[in-house]
Amino acid sequence: MKYIQNLAIILTLCILAFACKKPMNEIRETDYPRAFSPIGLNEMQGGFGEVNIVWRAIDDAFVYELQVSEGDNLQFTNIVRTIETEQTNVNLTGLLGETRYSVRVRAKSFKSGQEDSKWYGITFVTNPEQLFYNVRGDDIRTTGLTVRWTPNSEVTILYVDSDDEDVDEIGEIDITPEEKAAGVKIITGLEHSTPYRIRIYNDELLRGTVFATTKWRPSGDDVIELALTDDLRTYMQNSANIGKTLLLPEGYVFTTENDIAIAGSMHIYGDPDGDPVVIYVNKGSGLFQFPTSSGAVIDFENITIENIVPDANTAHVFTVNGAFNVARVMFKNCRIANFGRGVNRLQGTTIIDEYIFDDCILEDIGNKEGNYATFDIEGNSAVKYILFRNSTINGHGGPFIRYHDTYRGPVPTDSIRLENVTFYNALTRPTQAGAQWFIRTENPTATPNPIPGGTRVIMSNVILGSTGPSTMDAYNGHTEYANSGGTLILDNVWRTNDWRQLTNVDGVVQNAFPEGLNPAGNAPALVQNFNGGAADVFVDPTAGNFRVKATGAISNAGDPRWR
């Protein structure tokens, strides 16, 4: 009986509880007089003038209202668009570049008597428009620039200035209808070695910005400016010009049939604007001789040096036989062409600390006579550091670098470095008996001064693109490397399948760079084989166009000017 009484009490309490409770929808209508505000509002910028606005959905929202204000920071004083949508994102297009916008969103409820939500807003600056293309290297001069943009764009002026406070502001430059259509403007009257900012406008609307630095041009008391009619040999052999820069004007051409004995440290600088500066060598032997004083620094920059003697069998740029001590020889942004034996031949007891080729092009070197190398070191001479960097070698006959095997020099070579170099049509001399060596550095046990540990040969980002026809005895190809006791380091070095290697009578490759991928860390020296010939790597190598068309890691190798 007591059990039945307790059960009745429990049932009565449950009925009362359910009778007092309001439906869920009645609570929501009563307790929430305003819709929730959209949250998670964010912007994602796409292409120019395009921004996607997104937010989180609200359960009671019937529609979302979005307002866009231009030129203020959440003040909404200049509302330029009002949009209603049932979606939770809006893609805004046609916005101005590099302009601050404010966007706010509110939810509009479908429930009777429920107010719209409060606004939820964000602010952002749009990406700047960019009509400009990157400024190309050949569009940069010492006192001017050529800028390019999308042709036929709506533009009216350029504005040119510099962050350098000592540089006068150029200011506004009008764009003619012809320049507008072509998308090209030549800017003149700039200062050399100066960074500039160029902006392009359509009236007051910014449509692009590009930065460029004009080329360096030597100036000051140590600079001697030659006239087009001046004799270069006279200036280079004059001891009064030691330590000076000889500035050769654009279009300067000098032809010589005699050696030039350089007086001492000297910088031979060709003006990079306009027509190139050219030294024509009308002789069959060497051109330059080193100074007799020690420690000279000899730099050539922006110069073409070309031999014009047919069948110049014995020609070198430097043919030296004596006791000289030179701190540095450097060719920078130079073109050297048609020297029958090579660029450099050292004999005697000449010691050079650094020999550098940077941003250079070597063409048709060493195709006329003997087994001479492009860079040849013989007898008791030595070069402590050899560097070929950011350069192209198009056609060389004999070895590329050779430390002669009778080397007895007083100091060893520290290293030979090839960095970012493109080779094409290598080892082309067809009549040379015996195998051709690409790089040969011997003899580490020579007396009285053995090379400690041999020479370090370091190659990085190099393309070995084809060898020339060869009738070298019974050999089919060439040897790549001989460096007894030395160190070989290869990184991203590629060999095309028409870069032919030496094979013995059994078809076994001899004296080749080790093959395979070069893993990270302290890995063995390895070269990678490209599955194709030089014509598959370069756009048009026979015409001298070595722009890399192949993809993959090989596209990051070679002379960077062709990438």
Side-chain angles (χ1 to χ4, degrees):
M1 185 65 179
K2 185 175 182 181
Y3 170 77
I4 295 174
Q5 290 176 342
N6 290 338
L7 181 58
I9 293 170
I10 293 171
L11 291 173
T12 300
L13 292 173
C14 289
I15 291 170
L16 290 173
F18 279 106
C20 295
K21 187 171 184 179
K22 295 182 179 180
M24 182 65 70
N25 61 350
E26 186 177 347
I27 288 179
R28 294 179 67 175
E29 290 179 0
T30 303
D31 294 347
Y32 300 99
R34 183 189 296 274
F36 287 112
S37 296
I39 60 174
L41 189 63
N42 197 9
E43 52 87 18
M44 294 180 292
Q45 301 204 25
F48 169 72
E50 181 178 354
V51 175
N52 193 39
I53 306 297
V54 296
W55 59 89
R56 295 182 191 173
I58 301 300
D59 288 343
D60 289 344
F62 170 66
V63 72
Y64 300 97
E65 183 180 4
L66 179 141
Q67 291 184 342
V68 182
S69 182
E70 178 185 314
D72 62 25
N73 187 358
L74 296 176
Q75 302 302 309
F76 296 93
T77 56
N78 182 30
I79 295 175
V80 294
R81 299 187 200 180
T82 298
I83 301 169
E84 288 192 349
T85 179
E86 296 179 5
Q87 306 300 317
T88 57
N89 70 291
V90 169
N91 194 49
L92 301 175
T93 59
L95 302 180
L96 300 178
E98 206 167 9
T99 302
R100 179 167 292 281
Y101 283 91
S102 296
V103 173
R104 61 184 179 183
V105 178
R106 67 178 176 179
K108 305 186 76 170
S109 176
F110 63 85
K111 293 191 177 296
S112 176
Q114 189 178 41
E115 297 180 21
D116 297 337
S117 75
K118 293 182 178 180
W119 291 102
Y120 188 85
I122 59 170
T123 184
F124 56 88
V125 176
T126 53
N127 291 328
E129 187 174 10
Q130 183 57 288
L131 291 182
F132 278 126
Y133 303 125
N134 290 334
V135 180
R136 304 186 315 214
D138 54 358
D139 282 337
I140 301 175
R141 296 173 296 284
T142 55
T143 58
L145 298 166
T146 298
V147 292
R148 304 174 189 273
W149 63 87
T150 306
N152 293 308
S153 299
E154 290 300 322
V155 292
T156 56
I157 62 170
L158 294 177
Y159 196 91
V160 182
D161 62 358
S162 176
D163 291 335
D164 190 334
E165 296 179 355
D166 297 328
V167 176
D168 293 335
E169 189 174 88
I170 301 298
E172 290 187 9
I173 302 175
D174 290 333
I175 298 173
T176 67
E178 294 77 17
E179 292 166 340
K180 171 184 171 182
V184 178
K185 178 74 175 183
I186 299 174
I187 304 170
T188 60
L190 307 181
E191 298 187 26
H192 73 86
S193 316
T194 301
Y196 284 95
R197 175 178 58 182
I198 303 96
R199 289 173 284 182
I200 192 166
Y201 289 86
N202 183 27
D203 295 329
E204 297 182 357
L205 176 63
L206 177 65
R207 304 208 62 191
T209 304
V210 71
F211 297 86
T213 299
T214 51
K215 288 182 178 178
W216 177 77
R217 188 177 190 271
S219 60
D221 296 338
D222 291 335
V223 175
I224 301 173
E225 296 193 33
L226 276 67
L228 289 172
T229 56
D230 282 338
D231 184 87
L232 179 61
R233 179 190 297 100
T234 301
Y235 283 84
M236 292 188 70
Q237 295 188 158
N238 189 343
S239 59
N241 296 329
I242 293 176
K244 305 290 187 180
T245 293
L246 303 183
L247 176 56
L248 309 182
E250 60 179 270
Y252 180 89
V253 176
F254 176 74
T255 303
T256 180
E257 298 179 356
N258 300 301
D259 289 353
I260 299 176
I262 304 173
S265 292
M266 210 165 288
H267 186 181
I268 316 303
Y269 184 90
D271 194 318
D273 293 349
D275 294 332
V277 172
V278 182
I279 299 174
Y280 285 121
V281 183
N282 191 17
K283 62 197 297 288
S285 59
L287 173 59
F288 296 113
Q289 294 291 319
F290 288 137
T292 56
S293 57
S294 296
V297 174
I298 304 166
D299 292 341
F300 296 86
E301 189 167 357
N302 309 323
I303 307 287
T304 289
I305 305 175
E306 183 173 354
N307 193 294
I308 57 175
V309 175
D311 301 320
N313 290 342
T314 61
H316 290 86
V317 178
F318 277 99
T319 302
V320 179
N321 190 349
F324 301 96
N325 195 312
V326 180
R328 183 178 76 200
V329 178
M330 182 173 72
F331 293 92
K332 182 174 178 60
N333 194 31
C334 290
R335 176 180 172 267
I336 302 173
N338 196 32
F339 282 84
R341 284 188 174 178
V343 173
N344 176 87
R345 187 186 183 194
L346 299 185
Q347 301 174 87
T349 57
T350 297
I351 308 299
I352 302 176
D353 292 338
E354 293 182 309
Y355 213 128
I356 298 172
F357 294 81
D358 191 5
D359 291 325
C360 289
I361 293 179
L362 276 59
E363 294 182 297
D364 192 21
I365 303 295
N367 286 309
K368 302 298 190 299
E369 182 185 65
N371 196 32
Y372 298 96
T374 299
F375 196 93
D376 214 328
I377 303 167
E378 302 180 19
N380 294 320
S381 295
V383 179
K384 298 179 184 178
Y385 178 75
I386 303 169
L387 173 65
F388 283 82
R389 177 174 59 198
N390 302 336
S391 295
T392 298
I393 291 83
N394 178 13
H396 69 89
F400 182 61
I401 296 176
R402 182 181 69 160
Y403 248 105
H404 201 275
D405 56 5
T406 60
Y407 169 75
R408 298 292 187 273
V411 292
T413 296
D414 175 64
S415 64
I416 297 171
R417 293 176 178 263
L418 309 182
E419 300 176 356
N420 303 301
V421 180
T422 294
F423 287 91
Y424 175 72
N425 213 21
L427 295 151
T428 56
R429 189 180 294 137
T431 58
Q432 176 62 41
Q436 297 274 29
W437 297 89
F438 177 60
I439 295 178
R440 186 176 187 177
T441 61
E442 301 178 294
N443 179 334
T445 58
T447 56
N449 296 294
I451 304 174
T455 301
R456 292 187 302 155
V457 175
I458 302 170
M459 299 171 61
S460 60
N461 302 322
V462 174
I463 299 177
L464 305 173
S466 90
T467 50
S470 177
T471 56
M472 295 182 292
D473 290 348
Y475 295 105
N476 178 28
H478 64 275
T479 60
E480 290 179 324
Y481 174 70
N483 183 26
S484 302
T487 303
L488 175 66
I489 301 173
L490 304 180
D491 181 20
N492 199 35
V493 176
W494 290 82
R495 177 202 295 133
T496 62
N497 63 15
D498 48 1
W499 176 273
R500 295 179 302 120
Q501 301 157 271
L502 176 72
T503 57
N504 63 15
V505 292
D506 298 320
V508 178
V509 175
Q510 305 292 300
N511 296 96
F513 295 130
E515 298 178 359
L517 294 174
N518 192 358
N522 297 321
L526 301 168
V527 67
Q528 301 178 60
N529 290 314
F530 181 80
N531 186 24
D536 299 307
V537 176
F538 307 121
V539 170
D540 191 358
T542 57
N545 184 348
F546 300 103
R547 189 166 300 282
V548 177
K549 65 181 180 181
T551 59
I554 195 172
S555 64
N556 296 318
D559 187 337
R561 294 172 295 184
W562 299 110
R563 297 179 196 168

